[in-house]
Amino acid sequence: DIQMTQSPSSLSASVGDRVTITCRASQSINTYLNWYQQKPGKAPRLLIYAASSLRSGVPSRFSGSGSGPDFTLTISSLQPDDFATYYCQQSYNYPLTFGGGTKVEIK
Amino acid sequence: EVQLLESGGGLVQPGGSLRLSCAASGFTFSTSAMSWVRQAPGKGLEWVAAIGATGGTTYSADSVKGRFTISRDNSKSILYLQMNSLRAEDTAVYYCAKDFWSGYYGTHWGQGTLVTVSS
């Protein structure tokens, strides 16, 4: 199974900050990497697919990069609506696996 | 508008069974792969099972293999998860997700249904 390791597990940031979340796969997954945002009591929401493609309707302050085992989700200027938990997920092969999540909290 | 509506969750005793349903609308269900993803209270996301568009191909996590069965009725646009031999560790919110498949990504998710396994 491919293990997905996210860091940090949580962070505190202020509105306007640049935030970077990293995700490492236990083996190369090409660019089969997706990012989701989840707010308490809500379903996950797709933000980025195929490592760097922004889903339609997602604000451009979100961006993704990377390939192989190492990936990054960046929020260029944190907004109040962005406080949530973020998950990476590999779709390279089964079992499909998620990272442990990164909780972004208000400083 | 794509809509996914899960139902069938509830309280069940260890060893019991439950069948979840996910009613789909707003898209051509018969051409979309689907998955079930769960989230234990206060924990992260865990993929449970996936099924191809025609229903001919399925995959499941080792943690549920032999106990859970994913299926679909394309004539009714409904996705199912039959859960048998339930354990306390199966307690979670269960989400259905459209297009959540190898090589793709979960474009749309239902609101989830809570399954609680407890005596």
Side-chain angles (χ1 to χ4, degrees):
Chain A
D1 298 4
I2 298 174
Q3 310 302 319
M4 305 301 294
T5 303
Q6 271 182 253
S7 61
S9 57
S10 66
L11 65 91
S12 294
S14 300
V15 172
D17 284 353
R18 182 181 181 89
V19 169
T20 299
I21 299 168
T22 63
C23 179
R24 170 167 285 182
S26 59
Q27 67 178 71
S28 178
I29 57 171
N30 200 333
T31 57
Y32 290 99
L33 189 284
N34 309 308
W35 290 97
Y36 300 88
Q37 176 194 65
Q38 188 180 35
K39 296 181 179 179
K42 300 294 186 181
R45 170 198 178 201
L46 177 69
L47 298 177
I48 302 284
Y49 61 94
S52 60
S53 295
L54 187 69
R55 190 200 181 166
S56 175
V58 174
S60 59
R61 63 181 179 272
F62 290 94
S63 64
S65 65
S67 67
D70 293 314
F71 301 87
T72 300
L73 173 71
T74 299
I75 309 173
S76 60
S77 177
L78 198 66
Q79 297 302 302
D81 191 47
D82 302 337
F83 292 96
T85 301
Y86 295 84
Y87 294 92
C88 62
Q89 175 253 325
Q90 65 83 15
S91 61
Y92 183 76
N93 64 11
Y94 292 99
L96 307 175
T97 48
F98 291 89
T102 296
K103 186 173 184 179
V104 176
E105 298 176 301
I106 302 172
K107 181 182 282 186
Chain B
E1 178 192 4
V2 172
Q3 290 195 345
L4 300 169
L5 185 62
E6 301 95 337
S7 61
L11 176 63
V12 61
Q13 291 188 339
S17 297
L18 214 53
R19 188 177 80 159
L20 305 184
S21 299
C22 170
S25 61
F27 65 100
T28 306
F29 182 72
S30 60
T31 62
S32 293
M34 301 290 294
S35 274
W36 289 97
V37 175
R38 68 184 179 183
Q39 187 169 36
K43 302 297 184 182
L45 300 167
E46 180 190 16
W47 169 75
V48 173
I51 187 166
T54 64
T57 304
T58 63
Y59 299 92
S60 59
D62 285 347
S63 58
V64 305
K65 203 160 288 184
R67 300 187 300 124
F68 290 11
T69 301
I70 188 171
S71 63
R72 64 193 296 159
D73 186 335
N74 283 348
S75 68
K76 297 180 179 178
S77 296
I78 300 177
L79 175 72
Y80 299 103
L81 185 67
Q82 177 66 44
M83 303 186 296
N84 300 329
S85 303
L86 282 160
R87 306 167 180 167
E89 54 265 35
D90 296 319
T91 294
V93 174
Y94 285 73
Y95 297 100
C96 60
K98 177 181 179 292
D99 301 323
F100 199 87
W101 186 254
S102 177
Y104 291 91
Y105 34 87
T107 56
H108 297 84
W109 298 65
Q111 85 292 343
T113 187
L114 176 62
V115 172
T116 303
V117 184
S118 175
S119 54

